Amino acid sequence: MSEYGRSPERSIVTLVAFDTVGSTEKIADLDPDDAQVFLDKILAYIRQKVESAGGIVGSFHGDGGFGIFGWPHSLEDHADRACEAAWYIQHPRNPGEFPLTVHGEPVEFRVGVHSGLVGFRQLQTGVGSNLDLVGANVHQAAALQKAAPSNGIVISNDAKALCKNGLALKEYDSEDLKHVNGGPFHLLCAAPKQSWLGDIASRYPFPMVGRENERRQIDAALAPVPTRPSSAAILGEPGIGKSRLASAIAESWIDDGKNVFLFTGNARRQTTPFTLAKTLILTALNLDFEAGEDQILHALSIAGIPQTHIAELGASVFRLSDAPEPQTRAQTTKQVATRLVQTFSALTTETKPHLLIEDIHLIDPESLDCLAMIASGRDCSHMVTLMTGRPEAGAILSGIARTVIHLQPMRVQEMAALASKFSGKPPANKQLLEETLRQADGVPFVLEQLLMSSQLQSRKSKADLPQTVESLIHGRLNMLSKRAKSVVQTISVVGDEIELDVAMNLLDTDIDKLQPCVNELSRFGLLRGEVSNTLRFQHSIITAACLNTVPKLKRKAVHKAAVDAIMAAYPQTDSQFERLAFHAEGAGDLEMALDYLWLAGLQARRSAASASLLKIFKRAMACIEEVGKPGNERYVNFVLLACAALLQIGEFEEMKRDVPVALKIARELDDPDKVCGVLTQLAMLQWFEGNYREALNTCSEALTLAERLKSPPLIFAAEIMNASVLHGLGNVNEAIKLQKALCDRLTAELASARLGAPAVPSSMALAFLGWFMVEVGNYSEAQRHADRALKVAERYRDPYAEVLARNAQGRILLRQNRAEDAMRTMLAAKRICDSEGFDAINPHVTGRLAAAMARSGSTEMAVKVAGELADKTNGERTGYLEMFNFRLGYGEALVRNGQHDQGFEQVNAAISMAEQIDSPCLKVQALSIRIVLLEMAGAKNAQAQSDRRQRQQLCEASGLVAWEPKTERVAQS
């Protein structure tokens, strides 16, 4: 502070005047030393809030003082920063940050915010000097502070006029303000809503050059359509100008007064699931990504979000311990994504948001699901979305955006115009310019880097031009001061972007020392603009080039320091687990990396983020392989963590490799809990694959262990798999006996206990029991159990349990020749599968629906519904039973629609599947369908007679009852 104000000067700034409420009473009975400690805590707290927003504490006396924004460092958005600091002084993101009195009570503040011309000087006293603020505006800011209510913020009209951010204000009147100029005055009622104007406008110093055709295409694609959202994407190689074009469009949105949201993919090596939707929601609520639980809960409630949605999001995404208890947990990515998108839509219906989503190739997979819903959903017809990505994201963008623009290199004339804009004057050396344009080859980023290099080093001829962009960036690094070079190399290890707090922790510096370095790096085109809440590289190519100059040993040290820096900046680390794991890996501390990957995996599983869980799982497996034998126990833990979720999304090959290895290790560790847990997962895998005999042995061992351990979740998992396997083997009466016993136990508290199952266990058990009873012809009792299963599912609002129950109902109704009733219940099940993302069971449900539709006479619709799914799946990412039922239902629909060849091909494939796994139940089911279809088609041939004989033998051997339809005929080919 001592170097500020040595010579008197003046500047237009924004002042934050603050004062501690009731400080005299709080320290009246304290020893002077204790009083000093208390006041020092207040000063440290205020300084952190002011400096993190880009200001300085220029004056502090006793229990109050002034924060200064816009001096000594010029800040165009000084009023916005001041309002941000004022709000977070009163409402810290973490309530635990509040300084406390000696009696443990939170300290309260009064704050006044005012903008105007202020004088600065060093005031000499007998014991030294201090910074003195001079002028009427200083007194006016102090007057606003004195007039503020306890824990209130009063803002002058002058400060309000300079703010670009959205401010939630309420006009404020007080006797203490009657003689104060600058009114009307306002109370700040919510966190300032960040405008993206500053960030977008600061990227590029001059207007967009060229790209007129692409701009017209995008404008046409984004023209509002009342019935659906508008979306477009810009695809191109690094440096081709994607962000430049997108920023120009976003600037026009801002100029038109649109409500603009900006999101950039994974600039901080942080891919927490659903980050995009969570950020959009928090931004719409005027909250920071690291907002506290109480702030999020309060904001969602005030915004009118239904308590049921708050409960689901609180449990799965926002980690709200005080949220209402959800009646059921969200179970799939699509289910969670749907709730998030519905919430964002509800928050923005009136404001018609315009979204700019950059670097889609770096966005987590769950966020991509949310983005796809936003770009196509009925609830989002008021939204406009523009996306950018590299060529590797082409397939993703084509599946999300209605229009995709592939940026090509710019024309020579456009590049020449860009060069003139950059230099601000006609080229002095035309030969050098021509060579520069040739070398840039239509890529704007390369041209800008070449021109900047020429300016900085005064190149005279084309021989002076560097051969690569990376080499010229390296040359620019060597022109920096030692301090600035160290800063930019260090933060390049962290990523394209780093928060100011993390950067200061990492560099062991403060804002006063960091600002000159940032100014220098900005002048050399390496970083963007001024110090704000984040430091960001001008381009990811620059980040990579700087990183390549950092030796491996230094990188390792930076990664290690980054872990501590992030931990210090984020005491609540829930959103930082994957980021911390990345840096722990870079530091070579694989044990620490595995700790953070474990926490990230738990979070992903709780959020139903299966795709992210798969990525975390693969990273963990790579770390464990490097750790070797000491990582064996972690290997088992990660398999147990991920197996069930990954099987549900079809990762069979991954699990077929890892589950047997995990079982072997668990046996070597002699850990019965882990052995039993892996056995239940192995049984599920074997059942999915149709290996029923192997699964029976696995289930028997798992059940014996689970009963010895007296673990209800393991007992349930083993018993329900055991009954399912017995059904698959044709031991239906034994399966029914076991399932009845299980249903009898799942009462009272266990009726609603989750027990680690994908649905309410009591509903699952009842649905499966109804399913099994169909095989022996006990339709009335089967119907009662299926109906009970549906009631339980609806009582606990469990959509997956409802699908299982309706699937059982549909099968029972079809066996009773009640096709229209079956169609209605299966349509409901299909809608749930599609809306909630139950992809694994969807083929099964779709096949049964197609059969019900075809038997009800809607054959063309049946073929269409099944055909649409057939185009999307090849059966590799779902279970054997699911594809069997899909083929059987699709084949029946095709034959009944007159497409005999295609239909019997599907039915025959289903019979081959049943024979391959030797399942009597599936064989009888498939043979019954083929017999009926052959006879209905008028083909009473040897095949039908052979099928009848085989079916009769199977029924007699296993006690099964075959389906007999009403007499009917099917369409002829």
Side-chain angles (χ1 to χ4, degrees):
M1 190 69 67
S2 61
E3 72 270 25
Y4 296 154
R6 291 186 181 275
S7 300
E9 57 179 291
R10 304 191 307 172
S11 181
I12 293 177
V13 298
T14 301
L15 298 176
V16 175
F18 57 89
D19 183 66
T20 308
V21 176
S23 62
T24 303
E25 294 83 358
K26 290 178 173 61
I27 64 174
D29 57 349
L30 296 183
D31 180 87
D33 289 342
D34 294 332
Q36 183 64 49
V37 170
F38 172 66
L39 294 174
D40 285 347
K41 287 181 180 177
I42 291 175
L43 172 59
Y45 173 77
I46 294 292
R47 282 196 64 175
Q48 192 275 328
K49 298 303 175 192
V50 169
E51 291 179 358
S52 67
I56 64 169
V57 176
S59 175
F60 187 79
H61 301 285
D63 62 349
F66 291 91
I68 306 168
F69 291 82
W71 183 92
H73 310 299
S74 177
L75 300 169
E76 291 185 6
D77 56 348
H78 55 79
D80 288 311
R81 293 169 183 266
C83 291
E84 177 187 328
W87 178 260
Y88 288 113
I89 286 172
Q90 306 280 31
H91 308 86
R93 294 180 174 91
N94 177 12
E97 296 177 55
F98 262 131
L100 303 177
T101 68
V102 291
H103 303 297
E105 301 163 344
V107 174
E108 295 183 337
F109 300 95
R110 293 190 185 88
V111 178
V113 181
H114 177 60
S115 301
L117 187 65
V118 174
F120 301 94
R121 62 177 180 174
Q122 283 287 347
L123 184 64
Q124 300 297 325
T125 67
V127 292
S129 65
N130 65 287
L131 183 66
D132 187 33
L133 281 60
V134 182
N137 289 310
V138 179
H139 298 284
Q140 187 154 333
L144 297 184
Q145 173 267 118
K146 290 177 183 177
S150 179
N151 257 3
I153 303 165
V154 177
I155 297 178
S156 71
N157 211 45
D158 292 330
K160 176 193 170 188
L162 292 178
C163 287
K164 297 184 180 70
N165 287 344
L167 300 179
L169 301 175
K170 181 171 68 175
E171 194 160 321
Y172 180 66
D173 194 13
S174 167
E175 281 297 321
D176 295 331
L177 293 172
K178 294 298 184 186
H179 304 292
V180 179
N181 296 325
F185 304 102
H186 313 270
L187 281 178
L188 183 61
C189 303
K193 183 176 180 181
Q194 186 174 356
S195 164
W196 303 113
L197 175 61
D199 181 72
I200 293 172
S202 66
R203 297 180 183 183
Y204 307 100
F206 44 80
M208 180 76 193
V209 174
R211 302 294 192 195
E212 287 86 1
N213 290 335
E214 293 91 339
R215 180 70 180 269
R216 282 193 291 270
Q217 285 179 271
I218 294 170
D219 286 343
L222 296 180
V225 178
T227 57
R228 61 168 174 78
S230 301
S231 59
I234 303 171
L235 197 67
E237 297 287 350
I240 200 70
K242 302 182 295 294
S243 291
R244 183 68 186 90
L245 177 56
S247 294
I249 293 169
E251 285 180 34
S252 70
W253 291 345
I254 294 168
D255 291 341
D256 290 342
K258 306 297 185 186
N259 186 26
V260 179
F261 292 78
L262 172 66
F263 182 85
T264 303
N266 196 23
R268 303 177 186 173
R269 317 278 190 181
Q270 177 183 344
T271 53
T272 307
F274 300 108
T275 301
L276 167 65
K278 180 178 177 180
T279 302
L280 293 177
I281 289 171
L282 292 177
T283 303
L285 292 170
N286 295 320
L287 295 177
D288 183 84
F289 190 78
E290 296 300 324
E293 293 183 9
D294 57 340
Q295 292 174 285
I296 297 173
L297 264 177
H298 178 71
L300 288 171
S301 298
I302 293 298
I305 302 303
Q307 289 296 300
T308 53
H309 288 194
I310 294 176
E312 292 171 7
L313 296 179
S316 59
V317 179
F318 286 109
R319 310 176 305 282
L320 305 177
S321 59
D322 293 330
E325 185 68 24
Q327 292 177 290
T328 181
R329 287 276 301 276
Q331 296 162 37
T332 68
T333 300
K334 194 165 186 177
Q335 190 174 355
V336 177
T338 298
R339 292 290 177 264
L340 286 165
V341 172
Q342 286 174 343
T343 300
F344 180 62
S345 177
L347 293 171
T348 58
T349 300
E350 301 299 325
T351 57
K352 304 189 184 311
H354 284 54
L355 315 181
L356 172 55
I357 314 297
E358 295 198 279
D359 295 339
I360 199 172
H361 51 284
L362 299 176
I363 291 177
D364 64 272
E366 289 74 29
S367 287
L368 291 175
D369 290 331
C370 294
L371 192 55
M373 291 182 188
I374 289 171
S376 61
R378 289 177 298 176
D379 293 335
C380 304
S381 59
H382 58 295
M383 299 185 196
V384 172
T385 306
L386 177 61
M387 297 158 275
T388 70
R390 292 185 181 178
E392 56 264 34
I396 295 171
L397 285 170
S398 297
I400 294 176
R402 295 184 180 274
T403 300
V404 178
I405 305 295
H406 293 258
L407 284 194
Q408 302 300 321
M410 291 178 68
R411 294 174 297 175
V412 174
Q413 299 94 320
E414 294 175 330
M415 293 286 278
L418 180 61
S420 296
K421 287 284 186 182
F422 186 89
S423 61
K425 56 184 179 181
N429 187 328
K430 290 188 177 180
Q431 185 180 10
L432 180 61
L433 175 62
E434 289 175 1
E435 180 59 24
T436 301
L437 293 174
R438 186 198 65 76
Q439 192 169 334
D441 198 22
V443 180
F445 175 79
V446 175
L447 176 63
E448 290 180 8
Q449 297 304 303
L450 289 167
L451 292 171
M452 176 166 282
S453 177
S454 299
Q455 285 187 354
L456 290 172
Q457 299 189 22
S458 302
R459 300 183 189 278
K460 301 298 184 183
S461 70
K462 65 180 183 179
D464 293 329
L465 288 174
Q467 295 304 304
T468 67
V469 169
E470 185 168 11
S471 65
L472 67 87
I473 294 171
H474 289 179
R476 209 178 308 159
L477 281 174
N478 294 329
M479 298 169 64
L480 295 169
S481 67
K482 185 177 180 181
R483 173 67 177 164
K485 182 178 180 180
S486 176
V487 166
V488 76
Q489 288 178 317
T490 299
I491 63 175
S492 72
V493 178
V494 178
D496 293 332
E497 179 181 280
I498 183 171
E499 309 91 312
L500 182 60
D501 288 350
V502 176
M504 290 191 295
N505 292 336
L506 179 63
L507 298 164
D508 191 23
T509 189
D510 57 30
I511 191 72
D512 298 334
K513 295 176 182 175
L514 184 59
Q515 179 72 63
C517 293
V518 174
N519 291 343
E520 183 179 351
L521 294 169
S522 176
R523 190 169 66 253
F524 276 71
L526 302 175
L527 295 186
R528 290 183 185 171
E530 303 277 354
V531 170
S532 61
N533 291 331
T534 60
L535 304 178
R536 187 172 177 88
F537 281 86
Q538 285 281 12
H539 201 283
S540 59
I541 293 175
I542 294 176
T543 313
C546 292
L547 180 61
N548 282 340
T549 66
V550 183
K552 288 184 178 180
L553 285 178
K554 184 178 179 182
R555 286 192 204 185
K556 194 170 182 179
V558 172
H559 281 301
K560 184 177 180 180
V563 172
D564 295 332
I566 294 166
M567 291 285 288
Y570 294 97
Q572 303 294 328
T573 57
D574 288 21
S575 63
Q576 307 294 320
F577 291 146
E578 290 183 67
R579 185 184 188 189
L580 289 165
F582 166 77
H583 289 299
E585 287 179 72
D589 193 337
L590 298 183
E591 292 289 337
M592 182 189 290
L594 287 167
D595 286 341
Y596 286 123
L597 288 171
W598 176 258
L599 294 171
L602 287 172
Q603 188 180 80
R605 188 177 69 173
R606 183 177 65 179
S607 301
S610 299
S612 284
L613 180 58
L614 175 61
K615 290 186 174 183
I616 292 165
F617 180 78
K618 288 182 175 181
R619 283 178 63 186
M621 291 295 107
C623 287
I624 290 168
E625 184 177 358
E626 195 168 340
V627 168
K629 192 171 183 180
N632 278 353
E633 185 172 1
R634 290 180 183 268
Y635 187 104
V636 178
N637 290 341
F638 272 99
V639 169
L640 287 172
L641 172 73
C643 183
L646 297 188
L647 286 178
Q648 286 187 337
I649 63 170
E651 291 296 332
F652 296 107
E653 292 304 315
E654 190 85 28
M655 292 297 101
K656 281 166 66 176
R657 181 185 66 247
D658 290 317
V659 171
V661 176
L663 180 59
K664 179 175 181 293
I665 294 172
R667 293 190 194 280
E668 291 172 355
L669 294 170
D670 194 22
D671 188 326
D673 283 284
K674 286 186 171 60
V675 170
C676 188
V678 178
L679 283 169
T680 61
Q681 302 300 326
L682 180 59
M684 186 188 302
L685 179 61
Q686 291 166 337
W687 178 81
F688 264 120
E689 295 279 287
N691 297 326
Y692 296 137
R693 299 193 185 283
E694 292 179 19
L696 183 62
N697 294 330
T698 305
C699 285
S700 298
E701 184 181 357
L703 185 55
T704 301
L705 263 178
E707 289 173 341
R708 187 195 313 163
L709 294 167
K710 298 180 180 179
S711 168
L714 291 175
I715 291 171
F716 170 76
E719 286 192 335
I720 201 161
M721 285 308 309
N722 199 22
S724 298
V725 169
L726 286 170
H727 168 264
L729 289 169
N731 300 332
V732 180
N733 287 319
E734 189 176 351
I736 290 172
K737 180 181 176 181
L738 288 177
Q739 201 72 3
K740 279 185 173 180
L742 179 58
C743 289
D744 290 341
R745 288 201 303 278
L746 291 173
T747 57
E749 292 182 3
L750 287 178
S752 60
R754 299 297 299 191
L755 300 178
V760 175
S762 56
S763 180
M764 284 181 65
L766 287 166
F768 287 176
L769 179 56
W771 184 277
F772 299 161
M773 285 187 164
V774 169
E775 309 290 6
V776 296
N778 194 345
Y779 301 144
S780 59
E781 189 174 353
Q783 188 73 54
R784 286 198 301 274
H785 293 309
D787 291 346
R788 283 179 60 199
L790 182 59
K791 286 180 181 178
V792 173
E794 290 176 337
R795 183 189 314 148
Y796 295 106
R797 303 180 70 247
D798 187 329
Y800 190 66
E802 184 176 345
V803 169
L804 293 176
R806 289 189 177 279
N807 201 22
Q809 281 184 330
R811 185 168 189 233
I812 296 163
L813 291 167
L814 283 174
R815 290 291 288 265
Q816 293 175 314
N817 295 308
R818 296 167 57 188
E820 290 187 359
D821 292 337
M823 181 175 68
R824 282 190 289 271
T825 196
M826 294 312 300
L827 275 170
K830 173 68 172 171
R831 280 194 291 268
I832 296 171
C833 285
D834 290 341
S835 65
E836 305 294 352
F838 298 140
D839 295 331
I841 197 174
N842 204 348
H844 192 159
V845 169
T846 303
R848 186 134 355 261
L849 173 60
M853 284 180 162
R855 294 183 201 180
S856 300
S858 301
T859 55
E860 290 186 4
M861 180 60 69
V863 170
K864 180 182 178 182
V865 168
E868 287 175 352
L869 185 63
D871 292 338
K872 298 177 184 176
T873 180
N874 57 11
E876 292 180 357
R877 300 181 67 81
T878 187
Y880 214 85
L881 180 65
E882 280 66 37
M883 283 308 298
F884 165 83
N885 281 282
F886 174 72
R887 290 186 182 280
L888 202 57
Y890 187 22
E892 180 175 351
L894 287 165
V895 172
R896 288 177 180 272
N897 196 47
Q899 298 167 261
H900 290 186
D901 291 344
Q902 301 98 309
F904 280 113
E905 181 181 345
Q906 293 289 336
V907 173
N908 294 340
I911 291 176
S912 296
M913 293 177 74
E915 290 174 343
Q916 185 177 339
I917 61 176
D918 194 20
S919 171
C921 295
L922 299 189
K923 287 180 189 176
V924 169
Q925 184 181 344
L927 289 170
S928 295
I929 296 297
R930 188 163 68 178
I931 291 166
V932 168
L933 295 178
L934 286 169
E935 292 180 349
M936 286 181 175
K940 295 184 178 179
N941 55 19
Q943 181 64 66
Q945 295 173 12
S946 174
D947 285 351
R948 281 190 175 278
R949 287 193 298 271
Q950 185 182 359
R951 185 180 68 174
Q952 184 176 355
Q953 291 170 357
L954 289 167
C955 288
E956 290 174 353
S958 301
L960 305 176
V961 174
W963 169 56
E964 292 294 344
K966 298 175 182 177
T967 303
E968 51 186 322
R969 301 281 292 182
V970 298
Q972 298 297 314
S973 297

